[in-house]
Amino acid sequence: MTIAIDTNARPTAAALRNLYVVRFGFAVVWAILLFLTGPGSGPVSVALLVIYPLFDVAAAIVDLRTSKTARPTTALYVNLALSLLAAIGLAVTAASGVAGALRVWGAWAITAGIVQLIVAVNRRRLGGQWPMILSGAISTLAGTTFILQAGTPTASLTTLAGYATIGGVFFLISALRLHRTAKST
């Protein structure tokens, strides 16, 4: 099956590819740092928890400024607002314990996952979006798991490291697929 790709897609595909590679690298480094801080919510963990959605805000801004076609701007603005609210929520709740942080992170993962699905579906003709569609769907499921995990005695922030790593891998796969689009159009 051949998908029609917009001939003006090259600049957008190249910009998204570069952004997705950076997002992959950030997610992996962040996950390693969070894993090394352990399962609790010490000051370093709290800082890392707040930094992740703030990075997502920055990525949404870059996406808005660099995408030339297939720009679902409303969804990107929603994502920007959700991530900013998540950073604030994490700053407030993370210091009180793991359960609160997992609940806020879970709510953010669910809502951001839905937005990611919408953005990726709107960009599907650009190519390289199936990994983002899968990532958005998995994010909504993972968010529910984080909320449920918050009520257990084994609640741990290190599960977020795995979530970030998987999300990063999806960004890398999408970047590789977008590389083909950027070269072929």
Side-chain angles (χ1 to χ4, degrees), residues 108-149:
W108 176 50
I110 291 167
T111 56
I114 291 168
V115 171
Q116 185 178 15
L117 269 166
I118 293 166
V119 171
V121 166
N122 286 335
R123 287 181 170 165
R124 70 188 176 283
R125 293 200 185 278
L126 183 62
Q129 294 304 298
W130 283 107
M132 295 294 89
I133 290 169
L134 289 172
S135 180
I138 290 169
S139 186
T140 59
L141 295 172
T144 303
T145 302
F146 297 141
I147 292 170
L148 294 173
Q149 182 194 20

Side-chain angles (χ1 to χ4, degrees), residues 34 39 41 49 89-90 93-94 96-110 142-152 154-161:
L34 185 67
S41 63
L49 290 176
L90 287 163
T93 62
S96 67
V98 172
L102 284 173
R103 285 184 185 100
V104 172
W105 192 283
W108 176 50
I110 291 167
T144 303
T145 302
F146 297 141
I147 292 170
L148 294 173
Q149 182 194 20
T152 68
T154 59
S156 169
L157 295 179
T158 55
T159 59
L160 301 178

Side-chain angles (χ1 to χ4, degrees), residues 22-173:
V22 170
R23 291 192 73 160
F24 162 73
F26 175 81
V28 170
V29 169
W30 182 88
I32 291 168
L33 292 173
L34 185 67
F35 185 77
L36 291 175
T37 64
S41 63
V44 174
S45 295
V46 171
L48 287 170
L49 290 176
V50 173
I51 288 169
Y52 197 96
L54 289 177
F55 182 82
D56 200 55
V57 167
I61 291 169
V62 169
D63 193 338
L64 282 163
R65 289 184 177 175
T66 61
S67 296
K68 304 296 181 206
T69 61
R71 264 177 33 170
T73 55
T74 301
L76 289 172
Y77 282 117
V78 169
N79 183 57
L80 197 149
L82 288 170
S83 295
L84 190 56
L85 288 172
I88 294 166
L90 287 163
V92 170
T93 62
S96 67
V98 172
L102 284 173
R103 285 184 185 100
V104 172
W105 192 283
W108 176 50
I110 291 167
T111 56
I114 291 168
V115 171
Q116 185 178 15
L117 269 166
I118 293 166
V119 171
V121 166
N122 286 335
R123 287 181 170 165
R124 70 188 176 283
R125 293 200 185 278
L126 183 62
Q129 294 304 298
W130 283 107
M132 295 294 89
I133 290 169
L134 289 172
S135 180
I138 290 169
S139 186
T140 59
L141 295 172
T144 303
T145 302
F146 297 141
I147 292 170
L148 294 173
Q149 182 194 20
T152 68
T154 59
S156 169
L157 295 179
T158 55
T159 59
L160 301 178
Y163 167 77
T165 302
I166 291 169
V169 168
F170 278 114
F171 276 114
L172 180 61
I173 293 168

